[in-house]
Amino acid sequence: MTHRIAILGGGTGGTVLANDLAERLAPEIDAGDVEVALINDDPDHVYKPVWLYVAFGQREPADGRRPLAELVDDRVDLVIDRVTEIDTDDKALALRDAGGPLAYDHLVVATGSTLAADEVSGLAEGSHDYYSESGALALRDELLSMTEGHLVLSVVGTPHMCPAAPLEFVFMADDWLRERGLREDIDITYTYPINRVHGNPHIAEWAEPIMSDRDIGVETFFNADSVDPDAKTLTSMEGTEIDYDLLAAIPPHRGVDVVEAAGLGDRGWVDVDKHTLAAERAEDVYALGDAATTGVPKAGSVAHYQAGVVAQRLASEVRDRPATATYDGKTLCFIETGTDAASFVEFDYENPPSPAPPSEKLHWSKLAYNESYWLTARGLL
């Protein structure tokens, strides 16, 4: 009897997992005892960190895309289709285009995050984001045409993808505008929903002096409630109003509707055990990356490390052995502190982050990783 593993989502977590399983379970796959299917609704794999650089004209959208077929091991069945229903009782996925349901014995949800700007009045019409290709391109055009005024970066929704990216944006914008001789004519303000500039207190403590030294204005405990695109004002639930000439916003994030409809968790996220990554509301279901509610950042490194844990657990279960691999919360991240310097953090459930002093070496290390990422997705790094 063939054991069927279905992976829903072809982002970092899903792609790394599929390639890991193809290697780890190669004998069983070759013998026809195991099948691994990766289902994604887009034929391309998208490396989203590139969008930040697109906004400053340092990368092109094509730099963040590769065909999934070029990244995924031939032993994996690549299904380009949209899942319209997850039936965890009958262990089947309904597909939009396929003729019948796709059955599974184990399901891994790696559906990532989606942007939900429509949850805040006027946000979609009055702001730009760099968490999508179209948003980054539009923001690039606005930045290039801006010669004076007020640039506001507002973190509207949390949690969100890449928690360091809002800090990176204002640090890079500061440098970028100085290089163009425009910084004295353009004010920069950063807003955050709680009473510090980042959700992690250790990163906030590190970032606040940098922002002060660079004359980046800060509005904390600012929960954006509405945007008036005509008046160009951003208003918080606390009653604070900020005028802007260009608003770059981190919109609210959510998971995908099909996950919520399946009863796996709220807002499209999957409730999981933070160590085993097993779903709490269904049998034989795992979740990883942004889709999993582990409490760690929604970052690519998290999805990468979690994929290795899930691969080990699935291989053990397929071979009727105890699944002992666990995730310890490991996260690592480069943080751009300008156009030619970066910091680096590494932490887990037990050990808090301690950002490294910014350096040009770390900046080039981040750029080097961006280039080598495609080897990671293929399972070669």
Side-chain angles (χ1 to χ4, degrees):
M1 181 177 175
T2 302
H3 193 103
R4 295 158 298 186
I5 301 172
I7 304 166
L8 178 51
T12 296
T15 303
V16 171
L17 174 61
N19 286 325
D20 191 327
L21 288 172
E23 181 69 24
R24 196 179 296 271
L25 294 173
E28 289 86 350
I29 295 173
D30 293 342
D33 297 328
V34 172
E35 292 178 354
V36 178
L38 177 63
I39 307 103
N40 198 59
D41 61 0
D42 188 324
D44 285 347
H45 176 94
V46 178
Y47 181 51
K48 295 179 180 178
V50 166
W51 305 150
L52 173 63
Y53 298 91
V54 169
F56 291 101
Q58 297 176 356
R59 289 290 185 274
E60 292 298 325
D63 296 330
R65 289 185 173 274
R66 295 287 189 280
L68 265 172
E70 295 180 2
L71 302 177
V72 177
D73 192 289
D74 290 340
R75 287 169 290 202
V76 175
D77 295 325
L78 180 58
V79 180
I80 306 302
D81 206 337
R82 179 179 288 272
V83 172
T84 57
E85 182 182 359
I86 301 172
D87 186 336
T88 57
D89 293 325
D90 290 340
K91 294 186 176 181
L93 306 174
L95 302 177
R96 179 188 59 195
D97 301 326
L102 190 154
Y104 67 84
D105 295 291
H106 274 97
L107 172 66
V108 183
V109 179
T111 44
S113 298
T114 59
L115 306 183
D118 58 348
E119 294 183 0
V120 176
S121 175
L123 185 64
E125 300 81 10
S127 70
H128 299 279
D129 73 81
Y130 52 94
Y131 276 54
S132 65
E133 179 177 338
S134 60
L137 286 170
L139 181 55
R140 180 184 66 184
D141 292 343
E142 292 292 332
L143 284 169
L144 285 172
S145 64
M146 188 177 193
T147 57
E148 61 181 3
H150 192 192
L151 169 62
V152 176
L153 182 288
S154 182
V155 179
V156 176
T158 58
H160 57 78
M161 292 180 280
C162 193
L167 296 173
E168 291 185 295
F169 178 85
V170 291
F171 292 152
M172 291 178 69
D174 173 67
D175 256 9
W176 189 77
L177 290 170
R178 290 182 192 278
E179 290 168 359
R180 301 177 69 225
L182 296 171
R183 184 64 174 92
E184 290 186 359
D185 298 316
I186 297 178
D187 294 325
I188 301 176
T189 298
Y190 174 98
T191 83
Y192 203 76
I194 59 176
N195 62 348
R196 55 179 182 259
V197 300
H198 192 272
N200 187 291
H202 302 277
I203 294 177
E205 184 179 5
W206 164 82
E208 285 169 356
I210 301 175
M211 301 174 95
S212 177
D213 288 345
R214 299 191 185 182
D215 198 26
I216 296 170
V218 172
E219 288 281 349
T220 55
F221 205 58
F222 186 100
N223 289 272
D225 182 57
S226 64
V227 177
D228 186 331
D230 296 323
K232 291 194 171 183
T233 57
L234 171 65
T235 304
S236 73
M237 296 178 186
E238 295 77 23
T240 304
E241 184 176 280
I242 297 176
D243 295 325
Y244 68 85
D245 293 286
L246 175 57
L247 174 60
I250 314 302
H253 285 39
R254 58 175 297 122
V256 297
D257 292 340
V258 69
V259 169
E260 185 170 10
L264 292 170
D266 299 328
R267 288 184 62 81
W269 314 123
V270 182
D271 292 333
V272 299
D273 180 289
K274 71 176 188 177
H275 294 292
T276 67
L277 305 173
E280 295 181 343
R281 303 190 189 185
E283 296 292 327
D284 298 318
V285 176
Y286 286 98
L288 54 79
D290 289 9
T293 56
T294 57
V296 296
K298 296 185 181 301
S301 66
V302 169
H304 186 182
Y305 293 125
Q306 290 178 344
V309 170
V310 173
Q312 291 179 63
R313 295 186 66 85
L314 286 173
S316 296
E317 292 173 16
V318 164
R319 293 165 177 160
D320 292 323
R321 299 171 185 169
T324 59
T326 56
Y327 174 61
D328 63 1
K330 185 175 181 180
T331 306
L332 60 84
C333 180
F334 290 96
I335 306 174
E336 295 281 22
T337 55
T339 56
D340 60 1
S343 178
F344 176 81
V345 292
E346 183 174 2
F347 54 99
D348 55 37
Y349 290 140
E350 301 297 328
N351 302 291
S354 179
S359 69
E360 186 176 3
K361 179 180 178 180
L362 286 172
H363 165 71
W364 285 105
S365 294
K366 177 167 186 177
L367 296 185
Y369 178 77
N370 287 345
E371 294 299 323
S372 64
Y373 168 77
W374 304 108
L375 297 177
T376 298
R378 290 185 176 95
L380 300 178
L381 285 179

